[in-house]
Amino acid sequence: MQHPNDFEKTFRAKKILITGGLGFIGSTLGCRLADLGAEVLLVDSLIPEYGGNFFNIDEYKQRLKVNIADVRDEHGMAYLIKGQDIIFNLAGQTSHLDSMHDPYTDLEINCRSQLSILEACRKYSPDVRIIYASTRQIYGKPDYLPVDEKHPLHPTDVNGINKMSGEWYHILYNKVYALRASALRLTNTYGPRMRVKDARQTFLGWWIRLLLEGREIEIFGDGRQLRDFNYVDDAVEAFLLTAASDEACGQIMNLGSREVIGLHDLAKLMVEINGGGKFRLIPFPPERKAIDIGDYYSDYRLAETLVGWAPKTGLRQGLARTLEYFGKFREYYWP
Ligand SMILES: NC(=O)c1ccc[n+]([C@@H]2O[C@H](COP(=O)([O-])OP(=O)(O)OC[C@H]3O[C@@H](n4cnc5c(N)ncnc54)[C@H](O)[C@@H]3O)[C@@H](O)[C@H]2O)c1
């Protein structure tokens, strides 16, 4: 098991590719790896509806290489994958509603492109270490709580099905071709650099924008839906610990938090930290209700035992940092 203090030894001078590298989590991971002395290449399509944003790497632009490319470009990706030591595979279409309105784009990015990335690894970079950003969404509406990795998968939307396929391709390539692949099933992740322009990445980003604009937050349903949240630095730590662990090859691990909170209480907490704000309960819009997952929180003990991961940032502290960041840099995140 890797101690975070050894990260520099593990990642220094390593050639690392991050797909979705200008996005929220990918850019945070890229900056951290640059600090650890890695040679980082960020690949991102910068499609405006997704979370990619050049400002995310503003302070690091001299230390990170960027290639604006689309993971759907099979040949281009094969070229970029050749010679890499580690790939953090985070590119994705993240909106659940968009995946219902435009299922084929979600299929192309979250499913087909994942297979072609793995084919390129198999052919040109068979020793590469690859970590896939999967999601708790693939469990669907939980049968029991907390949700562990043995929980059945019954996704409630097209995005969940394609992310599940993307994840399983990684694990299949591990089993059949011994590709050194792992998957992390992320829960709601938040923090500086997240998409706050709209609710495409997560409702929490949208709430942050509403709060900072003095507008009212609308909570769907009775506001009692339970969720767990990870601050982005904790999610990044999980990616690093997983990449550094040989035992994690072929494994799927949940991320999660000890702090479980209802959405009504979350809104109250955010208003309190912000020093003001409004919220109200409204009935679920029907198209949201149709894909809602009810209550969710994770059992993340496997990640604890296998790679020594546990979240460190409390929700109050993480939200305060996030609100401060967007208060300062809002002009770079929404008009
Ligand atoms: N943020 C969360 O709460 C959360 C939860 C579960 C899983 N995840 C997963 O983590 C990963 C990163 O999510 P994020 O929150 O940073 O979202 P994000 O939208 O900020 O990052 C995804 C990045 O992928 C890029 N991208 C999308 N399609 C692409 C394509 N065809 N080619 C190249 N780049 C493309 C986007 O431009 C964006 O920068 C995603 O795969 C997502 O499914 C995130």
Side-chain angles (χ1 to χ4, degrees):
M1 202 182 286
Q2 172 99 1
H3 191 275
N5 293 343
D6 297 335
F7 278 162
E8 222 170 286
K9 242 187 273 162
T10 308
F11 295 107
R12 189 187 310 124
K14 286 280 166 17
K15 294 191 70 166
I16 297 179
L17 171 70
I18 305 179
T19 72
L22 289 174
F24 161 44
I25 304 171
S27 61
T28 310
L29 178 60
C31 296
R32 179 80 198 281
L33 283 163
D35 285 339
L36 293 169
E39 277 178 46
V40 185
L41 171 64
L42 309 179
V43 170
D44 204 293
S45 59
L46 279 184
I47 295 167
E49 286 74 27
Y50 305 159
N53 185 337
F54 251 113
F55 184 74
N56 285 344
I57 59 158
D58 196 53
E59 280 178 37
Y60 283 77
K61 51 182 184 259
Q62 312 302 341
R63 299 160 63 192
L64 294 167
K65 278 190 237 149
V66 178
N67 193 315
I68 303 304
D70 197 300
V71 292
R72 286 170 288 186
D73 172 3
E74 215 174 301
H75 302 292
M77 284 307 294
Y79 174 78
L80 295 172
I81 283 169
K82 231 185 239 177
Q84 300 292 342
D85 296 312
I86 304 171
I87 300 172
F88 291 101
N89 192 9
L90 278 77
Q93 191 298 110
T94 62
S95 163
H96 302 297
L97 269 189
D98 287 359
S99 81
M100 302 308 290
H101 298 150
D102 177 9
Y104 300 117
T105 298
D106 196 89
L107 177 75
E108 285 294 318
I109 297 174
N110 288 332
C111 180
R112 192 185 193 286
S113 302
Q114 303 309 316
L115 187 56
S116 57
I117 286 170
L118 291 162
E119 271 294 279
C121 293
R122 180 176 75 81
K123 288 184 194 150
Y124 308 115
S125 235
D127 297 327
V128 76
R129 182 80 178 91
I130 181 166
I131 322 297
Y132 176 66
S134 183
T135 169
R136 61 116 173 94
Q137 189 69 12
I138 70 177
Y139 293 116
K141 203 170 165 41
D143 297 340
Y144 59 84
L145 293 164
V147 174
D148 58 18
E149 293 83 356
K150 294 198 172 69
H151 186 288
L153 304 179
H154 36 61
T156 56
D157 53 38
V158 167
N159 178 263
I161 293 179
N162 292 328
K163 289 293 288 186
M164 181 173 83
S165 308
E167 178 195 278
W168 283 24
Y169 285 140
H170 283 75
I171 300 308
L172 181 81
Y173 271 58
N174 170 266
K175 303 276 180 268
V176 177
Y177 302 118
L179 192 72
R180 300 194 306 133
S182 309
L184 294 175
R185 287 183 184 155
L186 276 62
T187 190
N188 294 282
T189 309
Y190 72 99
R193 303 185 175 98
M194 71 193 294
R195 184 177 175 98
V196 294
K197 195 184 275 182
D198 50 37
R200 282 200 158 86
Q201 193 175 76
T202 136
F203 72 90
L204 184 56
W206 178 234
W207 283 15
I208 288 171
R209 173 174 173 178
L210 292 176
L211 207 54
L212 290 173
E213 287 185 331
R215 289 159 70 191
E216 193 169 47
I217 291 172
E218 291 179 336
I219 309 169
F220 301 151
D222 64 8
R224 294 205 200 127
Q225 306 92 307
L226 297 176
R227 288 286 182 278
D228 57 356
F229 295 90
N230 279 144
Y231 187 65
V232 63
D233 290 357
D234 286 325
V236 162
E237 190 90 352
F239 277 99
L240 298 179
L241 286 166
T242 303
S245 158
D246 284 337
E247 295 92 83
C249 290
Q251 298 287 334
I252 299 170
M253 290 174 283
N254 281 348
L255 303 189
S257 169
R258 270 180 298 273
E259 277 179 277
V260 176
I261 188 167
L263 296 190
H264 185 257
D265 290 336
L266 175 68
K268 272 206 283 196
L269 178 63
M270 288 171 71
V271 165
E272 187 198 318
I273 296 169
N274 188 48
K278 297 181 288 237
F279 58 86
R280 68 182 171 122
L281 300 174
I282 62 159
F284 253 104
E287 65 172 356
R288 293 240 176 227
K289 185 69 199 164
I291 61 172
D292 182 52
I293 60 158
D295 294 335
Y296 177 90
Y297 54 95
S298 301
D299 179 332
Y300 59 88
R301 279 177 296 178
L302 184 61
E304 254 176 338
T305 43
L306 211 58
V307 300
W309 179 81
K312 294 183 192 135
T313 312
L315 191 55
R316 178 180 286 275
Q317 186 189 16
L319 287 172
R321 281 190 210 156
T322 309
L323 282 164
E324 191 192 335
Y325 178 86
F326 286 107
K328 203 159 145 198
F329 297 121
R330 58 193 279 173
E331 67 187 283
Y332 299 101
Y333 290 91
W334 76 89

